[in-house]
Amino acid sequence: MSLYRFAHLCPQESNSLLSVVVNLRCVLTLIPHRFSLHRAEMAGRKRMKKVDHENQGDVKVCPAKLRSLHCENAPGAETEQLSPYFKKHQQHRLGEDFFNQPCISLAKAFLGKVLVRQYVDGTELRGRIVETEAYLGGEDKASHSAGGKRTERNTAMFMKPGTIYVYPIYGIYLCMNVSSQGEGAAVLLRSLEPLQGQPIMRQLRAARRRDGAKPLKDKELCNGPSKLCQALNIPRCFDRRDLASDPEVWLEKDPQTSMPETHDLVAASRIGVESHGEWATKPLRFYLRGHPCVSVVNKEAERQALSTSKTNNLDFSEVQSDTGQHNATT
């Protein structure tokens, strides 16, 4: 029986039934609205949890000590007044003359030097450079400035020697380079040996890793170009700064360490440039033989370097012997 026929036959009962139907329709109308509100509320709670989690991550890295990743100075802006901490290390800091050399020479000269990252309260993170790559610009097809191409991103490669070039890879990681002599030439810093501030480095690295990941060893903190940028908190806005004068990051010579010997230096092909033809195999990556913080070891290149070193030593010994015999007979 339809609702209308029932209302005609039983008017009193139908009034109560109609009120029930109306109320039921109201309830059914409100249910989707309430459900939408509930979903919005739950989404808001999830966002708040995410923010809280991120804030907890910041606390782990001691925000009272470490400067924010966001830059206070725009690229190319005047750097702040030098702090007492900066002046304390002035005697060991490397200046413009050090960076003003050809790209390959600078890449080798970087080995054994100490990269320093300082925060506003004087906290310092330090690492010894153990691996670099030279990017020559011009005909070097693996370089960002190949063919003299100049863009907004690679501008630092064309600036004076010692200019920092920071660029993103995969949209989330950063790499740090330093310009040298030569149009569009720069040196990539590939690996560091952590020297000071390892607990902070470990926290900075952990903030970018998945929960429950295996704790990093000291040798794993900076053994890669993006890893060292994370561990030393090198932000994108350091791009185009002057490594010879910047108050927050600079390079020092280590008074406790002598220059690497020729036989300790390995020249191998660069990493990640396999698609660039003959330039993929050129020995433009340099690292300290046997160092545990080197990112990728090339055994073949090490054997060739050792063989060349022995040959050179043998030739030098023969020259000394011939000279000694000649002097004895005169």
Side-chain angles (χ1 to χ4, degrees):
M1 181 182 294
S2 68
L3 181 60
Y4 297 103
R5 182 171 177 77
F6 179 78
H8 177 73
L9 296 176
C10 308
Q12 293 182 350
E13 289 81 353
S14 65
N15 290 336
S16 59
L17 180 59
L18 285 172
S19 62
V20 171
V21 171
V22 171
N23 291 335
L24 181 59
R25 286 182 176 177
C26 291
V27 171
L28 293 175
T29 304
L30 289 173
I31 285 176
H33 177 66
R34 293 292 299 170
F35 183 69
S36 298
L37 291 177
H38 178 71
R39 284 195 303 178
E41 182 180 358
M42 292 301 296
R45 289 179 181 178
K46 288 182 179 179
R47 285 193 295 269
M48 290 301 295
K49 286 182 179 180
K50 183 177 180 181
V51 171
D52 291 342
H53 178 71
E54 292 174 351
N55 290 338
Q56 289 173 2
D58 292 340
V59 172
K60 279 181 65 179
V61 189
C62 307
K65 285 190 174 184
L66 305 185
R67 172 168 290 186
S68 169
L69 283 171
H70 298 290
C71 274
E72 296 181 1
N73 298 326
E78 294 294 328
T79 55
E80 60 192 55
Q81 186 175 1
L82 301 183
S83 68
Y85 300 97
F86 173 85
K87 296 174 182 177
K88 179 178 68 173
H89 298 292
Q90 184 74 25
Q91 57 181 332
H92 300 307
R93 180 167 184 158
L94 295 169
E96 294 182 359
D97 291 341
F98 171 80
F99 301 106
N100 190 23
Q101 53 182 308
C103 190
I104 293 177
S105 298
L106 183 61
K108 296 177 180 179
F110 268 131
L111 298 177
K113 302 303 186 294
V114 178
L115 184 65
V116 184
R117 173 73 165 98
Q118 180 179 271
Y119 297 92
V120 289
D121 69 337
T123 300
E124 290 181 355
L125 308 180
R126 292 169 169 268
R128 181 181 290 110
I129 300 173
V130 300
E131 184 180 3
T132 61
E133 288 181 351
Y135 288 87
L136 311 182
E139 60 180 354
D140 183 355
K141 291 181 171 56
S143 175
H144 289 176
S145 56
K149 180 179 66 176
R150 189 188 300 235
T151 64
E152 178 64 22
R153 183 178 80 157
N154 72 3
T155 296
M157 300 183 76
F158 294 89
M159 296 173 69
K160 71 173 186 175
T163 301
I164 300 172
Y165 172 38
V166 180
Y167 66 86
I169 59 172
Y170 307 122
I172 53 176
Y173 300 116
L174 298 174
C175 294
M176 178 178 174
N177 304 253
V178 183
S179 65
S180 67
Q181 284 183 3
E183 190 76 0
V187 177
L188 170 68
L189 305 185
R190 272 204 66 89
S191 296
L192 304 178
E193 172 194 356
L195 299 177
Q196 179 178 320
Q198 289 91 326
I200 297 176
M201 293 182 188
R202 189 168 283 103
Q203 291 176 6
L204 287 164
R205 286 293 315 282
R208 302 292 297 273
R209 305 177 77 222
R210 68 180 187 276
D211 293 339
K214 185 179 179 181
L216 294 170
K217 300 177 182 179
D218 280 3
K219 68 178 182 179
E220 299 172 325
L221 292 173
C222 307
N223 63 336
S226 296
K227 294 177 183 179
L228 72 85
C229 282
Q230 290 178 19
L232 268 66
N233 192 11
I234 303 295
R236 177 76 172 87
C237 58
F238 275 21
D239 185 54
R240 305 185 195 180
R241 289 194 183 187
D242 185 1
L243 196 56
S245 61
D246 196 89
E248 295 181 89
V249 59
W250 65 86
L251 201 67
E252 292 182 2
K253 59 182 179 181
D254 188 348
Q256 307 298 325
T257 304
S258 58
M259 287 287 293
E261 298 290 339
T262 303
H263 63 270
D264 293 328
L265 189 150
V266 179
S269 57
R270 294 172 293 187
I271 306 298
V273 297
E274 292 77 11
S275 62
H276 295 287
E278 62 177 324
W279 287 93
T281 59
K282 290 188 179 295
L284 294 174
R285 178 168 67 99
F286 308 98
Y287 66 85
L288 298 181
R289 180 198 311 277
H291 201 288
C293 295
V294 171
S295 65
V296 180
V297 172
N298 188 319
K299 293 294 186 181
E300 179 60 29
E302 291 187 4
R303 283 193 289 269
Q304 292 179 1
L306 187 60
S307 176
T308 302
S309 177
K310 288 181 178 180
T311 301
N312 292 338
N313 290 337
L314 182 60
D315 292 342
F316 182 70
S317 299
E318 290 177 351
V319 170
Q320 284 187 318
S321 177
D322 291 345
T323 303
Q325 291 178 2
H326 177 73
N327 290 339
T329 56
T330 56

